[in-house]
Amino acid sequence: MTNSVRVIPIECKFGPISAFAYYVDAPEPALIDTGVNVSARQDIEPTLAEHGIRMEDIRWILLTHGHVDHLGGAYEVWEKTGRRAKVVIPKKEARLLRDRNEHIADYMALQGKYITDPAIQEKHITMLTTDIGGNIEPNLEVVDGDSINLGGDITLKVIETPGHSIGSVTFLLNGLNWAFAADAVQMYGGASGLPTIENPVYYRKSVQRLLEEVRPRRLYLGHPFRNINGEMQSAQIEGEQVAAVLQASLDMDAKLRDVALHHLTNELAIEQHELYGPFGRVAEEIGYTGDPRHLPCAFFVTIHGYKEELINTRNK
């Protein structure tokens, strides 16, 4: 394989944020992630048209994980391919593609668990269901070690990189070692000011695996993320910066873990904050001043994850 493989980043904008999809030019072209429901018409189709590419050319729709901003546009993209593209998703999150009501269940178990205002919960649920197209039965549910051949010698290897979500995967372009990691790598967080980490133990192991074992030459991420100074970085990273970005992700994880250990160990001493619930002291120490009632918002999801890690460690 040579460096002639073309990757086209596609920024899918919705509200104040955006997520990246990636078109991989191959004998059987692939689109990795799909933004939200409107992204197919609003961002993906126009961007590809600028490069002389039709939506009907897409033969594979590859989803790195099941979150709305990466899966929500899958149905519309699939429709625009004439329903010919094969749809691929991690096995552990295939339920989120089959039934969009599963997204509501996940929301209520994470961010929604800490939002007590029913009106805000209902608003969030409406946003979630609006941003997702129809349900799809996947053609393929992938697990660690699987490979997807895009024709010729262009093959993507599946690497399970959970943590951001329970089933997140990275698609690794064999030969070039380019890693489409989406949100498995978060640095110091995105627009909301924190990384979104559902399971810190898995997240830590996934980033360490990428850093020490996979050692990608390029990283294609799902969003621009912040560096230690709070500056937003490009979602496409290469060269020496790859290792730096992976290490920064581990550094932020270590910081959050230390803060959680300090403030969440003694549940009897935890006070309820009007805005941050049981995590008021955590917010104060890390300097978090965002509004966790917005969607999406990492605060409750991530700090809940560290709380669960502490509970599981204590119960061993």
Side-chain angles (χ1 to χ4, degrees):
M1 181 182 293
T2 69
N3 285 327
S4 62
V5 177
R6 179 172 61 156
V7 174
I8 301 174
I10 303 170
E11 186 176 10
C12 301
K13 300 177 181 178
F14 36 92
I17 64 172
S18 61
F20 275 90
Y22 295 98
Y23 177 87
V24 181
D25 201 355
E28 297 180 21
L31 184 70
I32 300 178
D33 287 338
T34 61
V36 297
N37 193 27
V38 300
S39 298
R41 169 181 49 82
Q42 176 180 285
D43 301 297
I44 297 172
E45 190 168 30
T47 301
L48 292 181
E50 291 174 4
H51 295 271
I53 300 166
R54 304 172 307 158
M55 295 292 279
E56 299 97 303
D57 297 333
I58 297 170
R59 289 291 173 267
W60 293 90
I61 298 170
L62 308 177
L63 303 170
T64 59
H65 62 295
H67 285 170
V68 174
D69 52 340
H70 296 262
L71 168 149
Y75 185 85
E76 288 301 317
V77 172
W78 181 61
E79 282 281 331
K80 285 181 175 292
T81 70
R83 298 192 172 191
R84 292 187 299 170
K86 295 179 181 177
V87 183
V88 179
I89 192 168
K91 186 177 184 66
K92 292 177 182 176
E93 299 193 1
R95 63 185 177 85
L96 296 167
L97 187 65
R98 290 191 174 98
D99 183 0
R100 64 182 181 178
N101 288 324
E102 290 291 316
H103 292 265
I104 299 172
D106 281 6
Y107 165 78
M108 293 304 297
L110 294 169
Q111 183 177 357
K113 179 178 182 179
Y114 296 97
I115 293 176
T116 56
D117 187 334
I120 295 177
Q121 286 184 345
E122 188 60 35
K123 177 183 177 182
H124 287 176
I125 289 170
T126 299
M127 291 172 65
L128 285 171
T129 53
T130 300
D131 283 340
I132 304 171
N135 301 327
I136 307 177
E137 180 64 30
N139 296 94
L140 186 62
E141 300 175 27
V142 292
V143 297
D144 195 69
D146 285 347
S147 290
I148 299 166
N149 182 260
L150 304 184
D153 62 351
I154 301 177
T155 300
L156 291 165
K157 181 180 178 181
V158 177
I159 299 173
E160 290 185 355
T161 46
H164 168 69
S165 73
I166 195 66
S168 292
V169 302
T170 291
F171 293 105
L172 185 70
L173 192 57
N174 283 340
L176 293 176
N177 225 31
W178 296 353
F180 297 87
D183 296 356
V185 176
Q186 297 256 325
M187 295 182 69
Y188 285 84
S192 69
L194 278 180
T196 303
I197 303 172
E198 293 183 7
N199 188 305
V201 174
Y202 289 165
Y203 178 80
R204 196 172 303 131
K205 291 179 179 177
S206 294
V207 177
Q208 287 173 336
R209 182 181 183 189
L210 290 171
L211 178 64
E212 299 168 6
E213 177 187 331
V214 179
R215 293 182 288 182
R217 294 192 185 117
R218 287 188 188 177
L219 269 179
Y220 293 96
L221 302 182
H223 309 269
F225 291 108
R226 299 179 188 275
N227 63 18
I228 193 171
N229 300 317
E231 301 161 337
M232 300 299 283
Q233 303 296 288
S234 172
Q236 297 88 47
I237 301 141
E238 58 183 314
E240 296 178 357
Q241 285 301 308
V242 171
V245 164
L246 293 170
Q247 186 58 55
S249 301
L250 292 173
D251 292 345
M252 183 57 168
D253 161 64
K255 174 184 176 180
L256 291 174
R257 189 174 187 274
D258 287 345
V259 172
L261 181 65
H262 179 65
H263 289 291
L264 301 179
T265 300
N266 184 0
E267 293 190 19
L268 295 177
I270 294 176
E271 301 172 358
Q272 286 290 321
H273 187 278
E274 181 180 3
L275 192 58
Y276 302 121
F279 307 135
R281 292 183 179 179
V282 173
E284 182 179 0
E285 180 160 339
I286 63 177
Y288 181 80
T289 58
D291 188 340
R293 297 169 299 183
H294 290 163
L295 184 75
C297 180
F299 182 79
F300 284 137
V301 173
T302 297
I303 306 306
H304 171 81
Y306 285 96
K307 174 187 174 184
E308 291 297 298
E309 179 183 0
L310 293 177
I311 292 172
N312 293 336
T313 300
R314 188 169 55 202
N315 291 339
K316 285 184 178 179

